[in-house]
Amino acid sequence: ELAHVKSILQGEHAEALEAAAGELAVAESSLEGRHAKGMEKARVERVEMEQGHAETQGQLESAEAALSRAEAVAGEKHEQEAQVARELAQKAAKLEDESASALREQVEEAEQELNDRVGAVEKEMAAAGGRVRE
């Protein structure tokens, strides 16, 4: 009878071991599936992140290029404005010189006219003085 009980227990033990092995295999398979899905999800997220980074980098480079072009245009415009300002300053100085020269000429002409009038008055006075003496 002991042998029979021992045989039954060994059979039950073997069945329990087989059932446990089966459950273990199912659990391992499930874990491997989950791991594979998790790895695939992580790979997809990494690819998406790299694409997003590439897009962001492209936008950044585009913005930097636009900024460089804007700075170049602004620098060119500033240089043009500076050139115009220099030209206007030169024209203003030239006009000032011309105005000063014209004014000097007018003053010299007025002085000459005044001197001529004074000389004419002095001659008239001298002539009138000579007539008075006569």
Side-chain angles (χ1 to χ4, degrees):
E1 227 179 86
L2 188 58
H4 177 64
V5 171
K6 188 176 180 183
S7 168
I8 292 174
L9 286 176
Q10 284 178 344
E12 288 176 0
H13 180 68
E15 287 176 9
L17 282 175
E18 284 180 25
E23 289 176 10
L24 182 59
V26 169
E28 284 178 344
S29 175
S30 177
L31 283 175
E32 287 175 358
R34 287 183 191 163
H35 178 71
K37 285 180 184 177
M39 291 299 289
E40 179 61 20
K41 184 178 178 183
R43 186 190 69 75
V44 168
E45 288 175 354
R46 183 177 54 85
V47 167
E48 289 173 351
M49 184 181 70
E50 288 173 353
Q51 288 173 342
H53 176 72
E55 289 174 6
T56 302
Q57 186 67 28
Q59 291 170 347
L60 176 62
E61 289 171 359
S62 177
E64 287 174 345
L67 178 60
S68 293
R69 287 191 302 273
E71 287 174 342
V73 168
E76 185 177 309
K77 185 175 180 182
H78 177 72
E79 181 55 36
Q80 289 173 351
E81 289 172 350
Q83 180 62 31
V84 167
R86 285 191 293 272
E87 289 173 3
L88 288 175
Q90 289 173 348
K91 286 180 182 179
K94 182 178 178 184
L95 285 174
E96 188 176 332
D97 287 346
E98 289 174 358
S99 294
S101 293
L103 187 58
R104 274 194 299 276
E105 287 178 21
Q106 289 176 354
V107 168
E108 288 172 1
E109 288 174 5
E111 285 178 349
Q112 185 60 43
E113 186 178 328
L114 184 60
N115 286 338
D116 291 347
R117 284 185 182 175
V118 168
V121 168
E122 286 176 349
K123 284 183 184 176
E124 285 180 26
M125 285 177 63
R131 276 185 260 146
V132 167
R133 276 184 253 181
E134 289 177 5

